[in-house]
Amino acid sequence: MTPPPAPDDLAPRILQLDDVERIAVAGVEYRPVRRTLGVTAFGINGFTGDAGRRVIEEHDETGAGAGAHEELYLVVAGAATFELDGEAVEVPVGGMVFLPDVATRRGAVARVDGTTVVVLGGRPGAALPASPFEHWFVAEPAYAAGRYREAEAIVRAGLEEHPGHPTMQYQLACYVALDGRPDEALELLQAALDGDPSLAGYARTDDDLASLRGLADWPL
């Protein structure tokens, strides 16, 4: 078995899933991705099976060997029939099964040879908050459609997780300016620039802020 990397080794690690060792255990072929790569922030492993063979053992996340994780199962090759609390669900390649309830009884059988499922897991809530960018990326459709207050609400929720985040404040300044609230937009823009002066380069030419230029409190 390949030993896990040393804890202080921060070099990038590139690996093909097919190069991860296959271990026959518990009626499945287990691929120890997490240990091989030395991942510490979340659980990630692979499982492979041929048609008619179990690819995910029947289990829940409450047992002695379980991590009490919420889990995401991603079928990266082949197809599988998942059993979820006794209900069969067909999942093709590219399909995902997310199980937030640790008590859900789950398992899967491969439908074709070479079926491979990658499993990611972690304790509920342990990995949060989400990365800051996620919030303004999710707000993009509302912004593009001119639903500026909807976009604002999405990013303000993110600001609660990342108080004072300059890029979030900048995005909010744009939404609020486009929504016709210049005083509030200027306050947000000033807070963004105080936190990250490099944002001034964007603010000088950003069309979203055009309505603020020329106002007495314009900061640039």
Side-chain angles (χ1 to χ4, degrees), residues 46-62:
F47 296 84
T48 297
D50 288 332
R53 302 292 301 273
R54 186 160 288 280
V55 67
I56 299 294
E57 76 276 18
E58 186 179 355
H59 71 291
D60 58 40
E61 280 294 300
T62 65

Side-chain angles (χ1 to χ4, degrees), residues 49-130:
D50 288 332
R53 302 292 301 273
R54 186 160 288 280
V55 67
I56 299 294
E57 76 276 18
E58 186 179 355
H59 71 291
D60 58 40
E61 280 294 300
T62 65
H69 288 174
E70 60 181 22
E71 290 187 322
L72 174 68
Y73 296 81
L74 170 61
V75 180
V76 298
T81 301
F82 277 75
E83 306 115 8
L84 307 174
D85 283 337
E87 180 181 353
V89 180
E90 302 298 326
V91 183
V93 64
M96 294 180 282
V97 176
F98 176 54
L99 301 178
D101 186 350
V102 299
T104 299
R105 196 75 180 164
R106 80 287 306 264
V109 174
R111 291 174 51 198
V112 298
D113 288 350
T115 294
T116 299
V117 180
V118 171
V119 187
L120 298 96
R123 289 183 178 273
L128 295 175

Side-chain angles (χ1 to χ4, degrees), residues 18-33:
D18 283 345
D19 294 334
V20 179
E21 182 178 11
R22 299 188 183 201
I23 300 172
V25 60
V28 298
E29 282 195 354
Y30 165 59
R31 319 286 288 272
V33 175

Side-chain angles (χ1 to χ4, degrees), residues 150-181:
E150 181 181 337
E152 178 188 353
I154 293 168
V155 174
R156 283 197 183 277
L159 200 60
E160 293 178 6
E161 296 180 356
H162 301 276
H165 193 280
T167 307
M168 285 191 180
Q169 290 173 317
Y170 182 90
Q171 295 290 339
L172 286 169
C174 292
Y175 305 150
V176 172
L178 290 166
D179 194 49
R181 293 140 57 200

Side-chain angles (χ1 to χ4, degrees), residues 25-43:
V25 60
V28 298
E29 282 195 354
Y30 165 59
R31 319 286 288 272
V33 175
R34 192 203 64 77
R35 283 183 60 86
T36 303
L37 289 173
V39 177
T40 62
F42 51 88

